[in-house]
Amino acid sequence: MSRAAAEGGFERFLDATVSATREEFSVGRALRGTGFGAGGLLVDRLRENADGLERRLLEPELARYRERALEQFRVVLDYAEGDEPIESYRAELLAHDSYVQSFKEDLSPERREAVIGMILDRNRRLGDAIAPIVSRPEAEFWAATTACFDRSAAIDLVERAFPFTDPLRDHREAFVFETDLDPSELIRGAVGLGLPSMTIEYTDEAVRAMVRAERRVVHETKDEVRRRYGDR
């Protein structure tokens, strides 16, 4: 069974999504209203030349997201290979879910279960969609995909199984994305030393960047499907 093919394809999509999120994310927008004032725009301009800023605010979150997504997908592969319903994998899936990690502390049990239901449903759709790929002998994603799907079915797979931001769009108020920030680590001199440490809440910008990144990568992946299949 070609778990390697399915995992390789997912990792390519995930890496493209992480890169697109990084490109879409604006530190300047994230810092507005946090107490930086005009300094927020200064930090955004510094981003082009200061790798430390992106490493401090964005890179750790993206790295954690990538690792969780890969671990969660390995659970999805277990589901795709087995006969148990997706609910049997609930604890494992949620243990590696970045949205669950970002739930507000005061989130109601009803809203929490509504979001979890969306998370489980998305992973079920993904597992069902990639099951034919997992059953192929090919070790490379596109070789396995073109062997078991025609062009229309491959595009349908991308449209149904790859999108991941529905919980963010439908339950925006259920999440909070934040990080602690020491301005002196980012802005040298008296300006940085004069700014107090603070917690930066950047939920709106995180949602905006991820939604845009998803839309972009799904579009690019569908274009790649068309190139791979050609006139078939």
Side-chain angles (χ1 to χ4, degrees), residues 1-8 73-74 76-82 126-141 144-145 148-149 157:
M1 289 189 177
S2 188
R3 288 177 65 109
E7 189 166 344
F73 186 69
R74 290 172 185 134
V76 172
L77 288 173
D78 292 340
Y79 161 73
E81 290 180 318
L126 180 59
D128 291 346
I130 57 94
I133 296 174
V134 174
S135 68
R136 293 294 307 178
E138 293 85 359
E140 197 274 327
F141 174 74
T145 300
C148 59
F149 296 125
L157 181 151

Side-chain angles (χ1 to χ4, degrees), residues 57-113:
L57 181 62
L58 187 58
E59 289 298 337
E61 294 303 321
L62 289 176
R64 281 190 286 270
Y65 171 79
R66 184 183 186 280
E67 183 60 30
R68 287 171 184 156
L70 283 175
E71 290 298 327
Q72 187 180 66
F73 186 69
R74 290 172 185 134
V75 180
V76 172
L77 288 173
D78 292 340
Y79 161 73
E81 290 180 318
D83 299 318
E84 297 296 321
I86 196 67
E87 288 75 14
S88 299
Y89 300 88
R90 172 184 169 119
E92 293 175 89
L93 290 168
L94 298 184
H96 300 298
D97 195 87
S98 290
Y99 293 159
V100 171
Q101 301 295 327
S102 300
F103 276 152
K104 287 183 176 178
E105 291 185 3
D106 60 351
L107 188 64
S108 70
E110 295 79 12
R111 180 58 61 84
R112 181 184 178 91
E113 284 304 310

Side-chain angles (χ1 to χ4, degrees), residues 199-219:
T199 298
I200 303 299
E201 195 264 306
Y202 56 96
T203 308
D204 288 341
E205 181 58 16
V207 173
R208 189 198 69 84
M210 284 190 282
V211 168
R212 288 174 64 91
E214 175 192 86
R215 186 181 304 122
R216 176 172 144 191
V217 174
V218 166
H219 176 76

